[in-house]
């Protein structure tokens, strides 16, 4: 049985990836830091056979113990302070967890002596492109991060490249563009929109607040994106891949479509008020990925299109708010 170890397992991608790996017959282990009890409980309810081990990307010895105990064939590093907005408020923690955390994980793997046997996935991010140097962005586009989160992800990305070259380790980086779905955290704009639109539809609230509606993102469905993670580790060597839909849409587009799918008529201003607290010290205005390398080498495409993604999220939240 192939053994996979996932950091950040209780997050959005952890849910989708765990489901996929269990379906493929893997034995799955997860790292949790014990701080998000309710998230862990709901994860365990969904996946009772997954063993959660207490550890933290900021604690080297816990990582060594976990690697030694689980002896994984594949390691997926999904653990991070993953919200750009928070990273401005906690830049040091972000650098420590999201950046240095991956270095610690690699060093723990080397310490245990598994560097020649284990295949590693690093969750790199389109936020590394920040103030984009070209359109669309591909694996060779220079990085220009615009947040402590983007800077930390860039550090981890180059650490992956360096360890691949220096120690010949099988490390792949998925440069994932924004990917969303029913497990998305409520702090991200897509989920914030689908959740609040559902509340309006069910009569619980009249309006809600958002920041800048003009930024454009390349949004895809997380369930599709975890398949790319797994496929990367089945290749003969590690590499970097842009994982994206190849389309871009504004926050305003997402909102407009969400209101339409929920059957809410009238102009946007009657449902959404402006919240200046949501404005970031520096913004990423436009992201659009070029996923051709993933298509050619991994035979991967983003199957779920934008409209379907918005529909999945709005319908999921309509059901949840109805139940509540
Ligand atoms: P990000 O691309 O990783 O930063 O993903 P987010 O979902 O957090 O944000 C996507 C875009 O939506 C960013 O440009 C935000 O500035 C913008 N945005 C506008 N209003 C909001 C809001 O109320 N919450 C969040 N999270 N983002 C917002």
């Amino acid at each position: 049985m192939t053994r996979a170890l996932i950091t950040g397992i209780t997050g959005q991608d952890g849910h989708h990836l765990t489901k996929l790996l269990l379906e493929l017959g893997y034995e799955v282990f997860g790292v949790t830091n014990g701080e998000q009890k309710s998230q862990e409980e709901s994860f365990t309810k969904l996946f009772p056979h997954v063993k959660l081990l207490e550890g933290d990307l900021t604690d080297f010895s816990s990582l060594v113990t976990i690697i030694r105990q689980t002896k994984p064939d594949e390691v997926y590093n999904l653990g991070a302070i993953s919200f750009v907005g928070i990273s401005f408020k906690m830049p040091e923690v972000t650098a420590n967890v999201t950046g240095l955390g991956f270095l610690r994980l690699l060093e723990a793997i080397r310490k245990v002596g598994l560097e020649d046997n284990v295949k590693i996935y690093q969750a790199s991010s389109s936020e590394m492109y920040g103030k984009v140097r070209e359109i669309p962005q591909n694996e060779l586009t220079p990085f220009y991060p615009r947040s402590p989160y983007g800077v930390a992800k860039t550090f981890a990305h180059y650490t992956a490249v360096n360890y691949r070259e220096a120690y010949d380790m099988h490390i792949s980086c998925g440069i994932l563009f924004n990917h969303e779905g029913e497990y998305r955290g409520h702090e991200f704009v897509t989920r914030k929109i689908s959740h609040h639109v559902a509340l309006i539809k069910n009569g619980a609230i009249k309006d809600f607040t958002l920041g800048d509606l003009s930024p454009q993102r390349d949004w895809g469905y997380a369930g599709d994106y975890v398949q790319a993670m797994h496929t990367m580790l089945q290749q003969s060597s590690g590499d970097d891949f842009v994982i994206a839909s190849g389309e871009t849409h504004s926050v305003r587009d997402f909102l407009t479509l969400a209101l339409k799918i929920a059957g809410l008529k009238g102009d946007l201003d009657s449902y959404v008020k402006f919240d200046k607290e949501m404005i970031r010290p520096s913004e990423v205005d436009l992201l659009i990925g070029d996923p051709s390398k993933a298509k050619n080498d991994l035979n991967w495409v983003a199957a779920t299109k934008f409209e379907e993604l918005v529909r999945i999220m709005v319908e999921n939240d309509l059901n949840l708010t109805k139940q509540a």
Side-chain angles (χ1 to χ4, degrees), residues 53-303:
L53 302 145
E54 259 189 45
D56 200 293
L57 284 168
T58 60
D59 187 273
F60 178 67
S61 63
S62 70
L63 298 176
V64 170
T65 305
I66 289 171
I67 303 278
R68 198 168 272 149
Q69 252 176 12
T70 56
K71 298 213 167 32
D73 303 292
E74 296 177 6
V75 172
Y76 295 85
N77 184 39
L78 310 183
I81 302 288
S82 63
F83 182 47
V84 171
I86 289 287
S87 81
F88 283 104
K89 302 203 165 91
M90 300 196 301
E92 229 178 295
V93 178
T94 303
N96 197 9
V97 178
T98 309
L100 274 175
F102 181 55
L103 177 82
R104 277 188 205 98
L105 185 62
L106 293 179
E107 280 300 317
I109 291 167
R110 294 184 67 223
K111 175 101 182 159
V112 178
L114 285 184
E115 67 271 31
D116 295 335
N117 309 328
V118 69
K119 295 175 184 170
I120 301 151
Y121 173 82
Q122 166 59 11
S124 289
S125 165
S126 56
E127 289 293 319
M128 301 187 308
Y129 296 119
K131 192 171 178 176
V132 298
R133 305 286 88 191
E134 66 179 330
I135 297 172
Q137 297 85 55
N138 63 38
E139 291 79 6
L140 300 176
T141 302
F143 299 135
Y144 194 139
R146 293 266 284 170
S147 63
Y149 170 79
V151 172
K153 281 285 182 189
T154 307
F155 172 86
H157 180 84
Y158 280 128
T159 300
V161 175
N162 179 236
Y163 274 54
R164 193 158 66 207
E165 293 172 359
Y167 305 115
D168 205 20
M169 291 170 74
H170 193 303
I171 308 173
S172 281
C173 298
I175 307 176
L176 265 58
F177 282 62
N178 297 53
H179 47 289
E180 319 291 315
E182 57 274 51
Y183 299 118
R184 194 50 149 158
H186 285 80
E187 65 275 34
F188 292 88
V189 78
T190 53
R191 189 70 195 274
K192 188 170 174 184
I193 292 172
S194 62
H195 174 69
H196 285 93
V197 163
L199 288 176
I200 295 175
K201 179 68 181 176
N202 291 329
I205 57 167
K206 285 201 161 45
D207 53 36
F208 67 107
T209 61
L210 286 173
D212 189 354
L213 303 185
S214 67
Q216 292 170 272
R217 290 290 184 273
D218 180 327
W219 277 298
Y221 179 54
D224 296 337
Y225 285 35
V226 298
Q227 290 176 358
M229 298 178 187
H230 174 258
T231 308
M232 279 176 221
L233 298 204
Q234 312 319 308
Q235 308 306 302
S236 55
S237 55
D239 204 345
D240 304 325
F241 294 95
V242 161
I243 302 300
S245 76
E247 281 182 26
T248 195
H249 298 272
S250 67
V251 175
R252 185 185 304 277
D253 292 341
F254 193 103
L255 173 65
T256 307
L257 191 52
L259 289 167
K260 187 171 157 221
I261 288 169
L264 292 170
K265 297 196 174 69
D267 60 301
L268 296 188
D269 297 346
S270 55
Y271 298 112
V272 175
K273 311 291 172 220
F274 176 64
D275 179 1
K276 69 175 183 345
E277 286 298 310
M278 286 298 131
I279 300 299
R280 295 169 179 175
S282 51
E283 180 60 271
V284 173
D285 297 323
L286 165 80
L287 291 173
I288 176 164
D290 171 6
S292 3
K293 183 176 170 188
K295 184 162 190 251
N296 291 335
D297 295 7
L298 306 176
N299 198 21
W300 181 89
V301 289

